[in-house]
Amino acid sequence: MYETSYNRVSSVTEAATALDAADDPKILAGGQTLIPTMKQRLAAPSELVDIRQVDELHGISMQADGAIRIGATTTHAEVAANADVRAQLPGLASLAGHIGDPHVRYMGTIGGSLANNDPAADYPAAALALGATITTNKGSYSAEEFFTGMFETALQENEIVTAVTFPVAQRTAYAKFPNPASRYAMAGVFVAQTPSGPRVAVTGAGQEGVFRMPAMEAALAENWAADSLGSIQPDAQDMLADIHGSAEYRANLVNVMAKRAVAAA
Amino acid sequence: MANVNLTINGKAVSAETDDRTLLVEFIREHQGLTGTHVGCDTSQCGACLVLMDGKAIKSCSTLAAQASGSSIITIEGIATGAELHPVQRAFKENHGLQCGFCTPGMVIAAIDMIERLGPDLDEPTIRKELEGNICRCTGYHNIVKAIKAASMQMATQLEAAE
Ligand SMILES: Cc1cc2nc3c(=O)[nH]c(=O)nc-3n(C[C@H](O)[C@H](O)[C@H](O)COP(=O)(O)OP(=O)(O)OC[C@H]3O[C@@H](n4cnc5c(N)ncnc54)[C@H](O)[C@@H]3O)c2cc1C
Ligand code: FES
Ligand code: FES
């Protein structure tokens, strides 16, 4: 790891000031992506601004309209164990409980995961399928606006994700086929029955990161059942291909995972 | 330089260290507690697990500075004097180790899972919970047996206490 300097802050304002004052800073949350990346010398920020202990960024609350607001530094373990999330959005709780391993889940945060937008990360699928709103210290984004490509988001330099709000949904489920070594998704499908109809979002498989499946959504609007998905799958041309699986394999996996998710919801 | 103040196995430690020092380097090289191991460079093996404020975390993927203010327990801190922790005893009795390299992490993971999920764990739960622990000797079967035995023993102890 290259040299860096560490700065722990206790408020969002303090974090913003520290980020603006530094040369080439990075926000440090759970560190479960950033520290391994720095160890491999793929990132070398001059300063780390540690927001893990900022109280105002932490915690889960149910809003008056039933939406669930999750602070950016809330850990995967906390989301998985939260009673409101389990009751209202069981698909989201189950997704959080299957990220990586128990030790990653104690440290890793929802804000870090969304800001990183790894094409194989799990949370982006839930955010897009549920139409979540991502709030920052500068404004807010719909999930559609937020995820702009592989490891790319709409966040401006030094913009801090402060919370994510998930609106109500009648039914939710997530099915993922994890890479057996890394536990990241080879294909992960989040399905939701929302007040505006069914929504389906896919992670792990697409070359451009997370995406929706309008054809599956239309089929589920006709009849919410695994069978109605038939052989609907994404175009293999748009899928990732690597040593773990070909593009055709991933396209088929999306269909299989979508059916499993609908059956579980 | 970062000022790191924490407790390790109940003892207060205060030290100046490079900001980039990993918690595992701090524990092994600065404190000389070499029971915590480093088995990979990819945050995937779990040999480096320690309890930070009661939760098993990867000390290879955490900075010492991030851990400042916390209470750390390493494998050296779980026995009571000469008396082994029930999980350690179960590993011994069930032949839950071969070369022993992964064992500190396995034992810490086991303590964490029994404390979080309650005693008397079933085998599928134990196997799922061990997703972040790799044993190069592949002795998983006896590791699972040891954790099951320890969790059952802790259940009996709880009943006896009632
Ligand atoms: C062994 C292993 C297995 C894993 N398996 C999975 C898996 O199966 N599925 C999955 O989805 N993930 C997986 N992960 C990744 C894990 O979920 C990370 O915790 C997560 O991607 C990043 O969150 P973090 O809090 O650790 O962020 P950090 O590592 O601290 O930061 C990541 C990036 O986000 C930025 N950032 C962090 N917080 C904010 C914020 N509030 N606002 C703006 N920018 C911010 C940082 O500057 C950095 O660029 C795995 C990680 C490991 C080590
Ligand atoms: S050394 Fe920490 S996970 Fe391998
Ligand atoms: S006992 Fe040798 S690595 Fe597990």
Side-chain angles (χ1 to χ4, degrees):
Chain A
M1 189 187 296
Y2 290 111
E3 213 168 330
T4 188
S5 75
Y6 171 89
N7 182 1
R8 186 185 296 180
V9 294
S10 52
S11 72
V12 174
T13 321
E14 207 189 315
T17 312
L19 288 164
D20 285 339
D23 246 358
D24 183 18
K26 263 202 182 297
I27 298 168
L28 175 64
Q32 300 301 289
T33 292
L34 186 51
I35 306 245
T37 313
M38 289 174 70
K39 283 168 66 179
Q40 292 174 9
R41 297 190 169 181
L42 295 173
S46 65
E47 180 163 332
L48 293 171
V49 176
D50 183 357
I51 58 168
R52 193 168 66 94
Q53 301 192 19
V54 174
D55 283 341
E56 60 189 306
L57 289 178
H58 189 251
I60 301 176
S61 57
M62 184 119 109
Q63 313 294 101
D65 63 357
I68 292 182
R69 184 183 185 281
I70 304 181
T73 60
T74 310
T75 64
H76 310 331
E78 288 163 337
V79 173
N82 182 269
D84 287 336
V85 179
R86 293 172 78 108
Q88 304 300 318
L89 301 172
L92 182 63
S94 148
L95 175 152
H98 286 89
I99 294 176
D101 56 55
H103 323 300
V104 166
R105 296 196 287 271
Y106 274 140
M107 291 296 284
T109 69
I110 190 167
S113 179
L114 294 172
N116 197 47
N117 196 18
D118 188 312
D122 296 305
Y123 272 129
L128 191 59
L130 288 166
T133 303
I134 292 118
T135 312
T136 73
N137 63 332
K138 306 243 167 85
S140 69
Y141 303 89
S142 69
E144 267 92 356
E145 298 162 340
F146 188 79
F147 303 112
T148 54
M150 199 184 261
F151 293 109
E152 299 280 340
T153 66
L155 289 174
Q156 302 296 304
E157 205 174 306
N158 296 342
E159 186 168 359
I160 306 165
V161 174
T162 52
V164 194
T165 308
F166 294 92
V168 286
Q170 292 91 320
R171 296 204 254 192
T172 57
Y174 181 64
K176 122 163 152 177
F177 190 87
N179 177 309
S182 75
R183 320 313 299 176
Y184 275 96
M186 304 253 312
V189 180
F190 199 100
V191 299
Q193 180 64 274
T194 77
S196 59
R199 288 173 62 118
V200 178
V202 179
T203 190
Q207 283 180 13
E208 301 291 313
V210 65
F211 62 93
R212 276 174 72 183
M213 281 291 295
M216 286 186 175
E217 294 175 359
L220 292 173
E222 297 262 313
N223 178 21
W224 179 277
D227 282 348
S228 35
L229 294 177
S231 57
I232 304 174
Q233 46 174 265
D235 191 340
Q237 274 189 343
D238 303 329
M239 297 299 101
L240 289 165
D242 54 26
I243 54 162
H244 307 298
S246 66
E248 292 72 25
Y249 177 75
R250 278 199 168 81
N252 184 60
L253 210 49
V254 170
N255 176 273
V256 176
M257 289 303 117
K259 284 180 177 158
R260 281 191 196 165
V262 172
Chain B
M1 294 295 271
N3 222 327
V4 175
N5 298 295
L6 37 66
T7 69
I8 300 183
N9 302 329
K11 188 177 129 226
V13 174
S14 182
E16 283 260 303
T17 161
D18 218 9
D19 291 35
R20 63 180 150 174
T21 307
L22 295 170
L23 179 58
V24 71
E25 293 167 349
F26 187 78
I27 292 169
R28 288 178 55 86
E29 288 156 34
H30 300 231
Q31 302 305 312
L33 294 168
T34 54
T36 303
H37 291 167
V38 177
C40 73
D41 222 356
T42 52
S43 309
Q44 283 173 319
C45 77
C48 63
L49 295 182
V50 299
L51 296 171
M52 179 164 87
D53 295 328
K55 293 173 181 158
I57 57 118
K58 304 187 192 207
S59 62
C60 74
S61 307
T62 309
L63 297 174
Q66 277 177 288
S68 187
S70 73
S71 156
I72 302 288
I73 306 280
T74 69
I75 190 72
E76 288 91 346
I78 60 170
T80 317
E83 196 186 327
L84 293 180
H85 186 280
V87 174
Q88 286 175 306
R89 206 172 333 117
F91 269 70
K92 181 168 176 243
E93 284 162 7
N94 291 279
H95 196 68
L97 56 148
Q98 293 172 52
C99 79
F101 192 85
C102 68
T103 314
M106 291 286 179
V107 169
I108 297 288
I111 293 174
D112 174 79
M113 83 174 80
I114 295 171
E115 283 182 0
R116 174 161 36 93
L117 301 170
D120 207 356
L121 299 175
D122 60 24
E123 194 180 317
T125 307
I126 297 171
R127 288 189 184 270
K128 175 167 184 294
E129 284 287 317
L130 285 180
E131 236 152 39
N133 292 80
I134 292 176
C135 175
R136 184 69 200 267
C137 301
T138 68
Y140 295 103
H141 200 65
N142 283 355
I143 292 170
V144 173
K145 237 168 83 185
I147 297 176
K148 189 157 171 50
S151 79
M152 266 163 43
Q153 201 207 341
M154 284 160 92
T156 323
Q157 276 175 356
L158 282 182
E159 261 167 41
E162 271 164 20

